[in-house]
Amino acid sequence: MAETRILVVDDEKEIADLIEIYLVSDGYKVLKANNAEEGLGILEKEEIHLVLLDIMMPGMNGLEMCKKIRETNNIPIIMLSAKSTDLDKILGLGTGADDYVTKPFNPLELTARVKSQLRRYTQLNPNSNVHESGKNEISIKELTINKDNHKVTVDGEEIKLTPIEFDILYLLASNPGRVFSTDEIFENVWNEKVYEANNTVMVHIRRLRGKMKEDTRQNKIITTVWGVGYKIEK
């Protein structure tokens, strides 16, 4: 099996080196960059499977780099930051990040998050589009989701989703009519107990709706049940 390559972008060398030690001990190949420009250069030349990205860096910051990566790439991105305010978390996830870890972090927790994101990305890797069986295809309203090839179309137009966004949409579409709270969505999609789930899930739902152009649609695909959660009706 090909090695899994992780890019660590952090201007604090001690932290980057610490992360490298733990990831290498878990069998990952680690590439490091101490600024966003260097990191983007590595992404252009190398096949990278996940990015650990610090927010506060000189020059282009992590939020800007995350947006830049998302223009062409759906690999998992985990943001790192010394700030723990909700605003920072919403900003981080709103740029397309899949997860967020606050410094100082427990290295074992960080590697667990890495494994979780990589597992999801591997399962939903678009390179599996040779499988066109359609057995795992769901069609509701103008939405079609194919779990075999990670393909989602709305109004006949394909939209590109991150693995987290895909999992949320597939969860709701697989259970038409059922209302999921933010906590239930978090536990089902992230496969871990709730930690500040509300803002995290809301940001991903908002991003999903944006990609599906829900603001211009009269009959919404994802329905908000105020005070309860979200659902997709048949």
Side-chain angles (χ1 to χ4, degrees), residues 46-60:
E46 306 280 353
E47 182 182 5
I48 301 295
H49 302 100
L50 180 142
V51 179
L52 284 166
L53 177 55
D54 185 42
I55 290 180
M56 302 300 291
M57 293 187 292
M60 181 187 290

Side-chain angles (χ1 to χ4, degrees), residues 168 172 185 201-209 222 230:
I168 292 173
L172 296 176
I185 292 172
V201 171
M202 284 170 60
V203 168
H204 282 89
I205 292 278
R206 191 180 310 131
R207 217 163 63 207
L208 248 179
R209 283 175 158 160
I222 299 176
Y230 302 94

Side-chain angles (χ1 to χ4, degrees), residues 20 24 32 35 44 46 54-55 59 64 91 93 98 109 114 119 125 132 137 149 175 178 182 194 196 205 228 232:
E20 180 182 26
V24 168
K32 293 183 291 184
N35 59 61
E44 282 183 13
E46 306 280 353
D54 185 42
I55 290 180
E64 293 166 330
L91 278 172
L93 293 169
D98 296 286
E109 180 193 353
V114 166
R119 184 166 57 247
N125 194 326
E132 295 288 349
E137 189 165 281
N149 60 18
N175 299 273
R178 179 182 165 185
T182 53
V194 174
E196 300 170 356
I205 292 278
V228 184
I232 291 180

